[in-house]
Amino acid sequence: MGDADEMAVRLASRLAALRTERGWSLDDLAGRSGVSRSTLSRLERAEISPTAALLGKLCTVYERTPSWLLAEVEAGPRVLVRAAEQTVWRDEASRFTRRIVSPPSSGLHAEVIEAVLAPGADIAYDAAPVPGQEQHIWVLEGSLEITLDDRVHELGTGDCLRFRLWGRSRFRCTGADPVRYALVVVLP
């Protein structure tokens, strides 16, 4: 089994554990997340991998950021994380790649993520995983359109957007080349 397969199995197991810890049935989770019971069941059995949008819906229900959730399935927090050891998650369907540069750790309140969206990629999230969470997005290469609720922000290379996320959000690569950006998330 490869690293990606092992990660998918650990993620599936963690998602099942989060639901069980709350005493929810698959039907309960389906009602709270808007994701079908059958999809949730297949996800928890590692038969499918979550898309960015699906992971976002589950993180909202479980009040976690995607990187926080992904960090929970790793071996444990480390002080130094070499580039080759950083968790990389790819959503082929939405053409989105997320690298957890500095995984969250108990006692620390920020994380750094590198994200890459392919040209034309468009990802929408229905709600904030943790309402009011502070985020900073710094575009390293390319152009990115970010919509927070109904307010659109156009960012180019070097631009930084700082905000508290309360509701819906949308990320769209608007250039002919991929957009690469750093996301700093401040945890509560």
Side-chain angles (χ1 to χ4, degrees), residues 12 15 39-50 54 58:
L15 289 169
T39 297
L40 294 169
S41 177
R42 293 181 65 212
L43 183 63
E44 289 185 5
R45 291 190 317 261
E47 292 176 2
I48 60 171
S49 294
L54 174 57
L58 294 174

Side-chain angles (χ1 to χ4, degrees), residues 45-68:
R45 291 190 317 261
E47 292 176 2
I48 60 171
S49 294
T51 64
L54 174 57
L55 194 61
K57 287 180 181 185
L58 294 174
C59 285
T60 298
V61 170
Y62 292 131
E63 297 181 320
R64 284 166 164 69
T65 63
S67 53
W68 183 5

Side-chain angles (χ1 to χ4, degrees), residues 12-181:
S13 177
R14 182 63 185 138
L15 289 169
L18 285 167
R19 180 179 55 77
T20 303
E21 288 167 11
R22 286 160 177 75
W24 297 343
S25 67
L26 283 171
D27 289 327
D28 292 334
L29 181 57
R32 293 170 189 270
S33 66
V35 177
S36 75
R37 182 188 191 289
S38 62
T39 297
L40 294 169
S41 177
R42 293 181 65 212
L43 183 63
E44 289 185 5
R45 291 190 317 261
E47 292 176 2
I48 60 171
S49 294
T51 64
L54 174 57
L55 194 61
K57 287 180 181 185
L58 294 174
C59 285
T60 298
V61 170
Y62 292 131
E63 297 181 320
R64 284 166 164 69
T65 63
S67 53
W68 183 5
L69 176 63
L70 293 172
E72 288 181 289
V73 300
E74 290 198 332
R78 295 174 274 167
V79 175
L80 174 63
V81 183
R82 303 277 183 201
E85 300 169 340
Q86 294 168 357
T87 300
V88 176
W89 179 74
R90 288 180 178 82
D91 176 3
E92 299 299 333
S94 63
R95 299 173 301 153
F96 174 61
T97 302
R98 172 189 289 263
R99 173 185 299 275
I100 302 173
V101 178
S102 65
S105 176
S106 61
L108 301 177
H109 299 285
E111 58 190 47
V112 178
I113 297 121
E114 176 190 37
V116 178
L117 283 174
D122 190 339
I123 301 173
Y125 300 96
D126 295 332
V130 179
Q133 180 179 66
E134 181 180 351
Q135 296 188 12
H136 305 249
I137 295 179
W138 178 29
V139 177
L140 303 170
E141 298 172 347
S143 56
L144 177 66
E145 178 186 276
I146 299 174
T147 305
L148 304 172
D149 289 318
D150 294 322
R151 189 164 181 202
V152 177
H153 303 274
E154 297 281 346
L155 285 77
T157 301
D159 293 344
C160 183
L161 177 65
R162 180 172 72 181
F163 57 92
R164 288 196 180 276
L165 185 59
W166 292 101
R168 296 182 325 268
S169 60
R170 179 179 174 204
F171 295 75
R172 190 169 70 90
C173 178
T174 56
D177 295 314
V179 60
R180 186 172 68 93
Y181 58 94

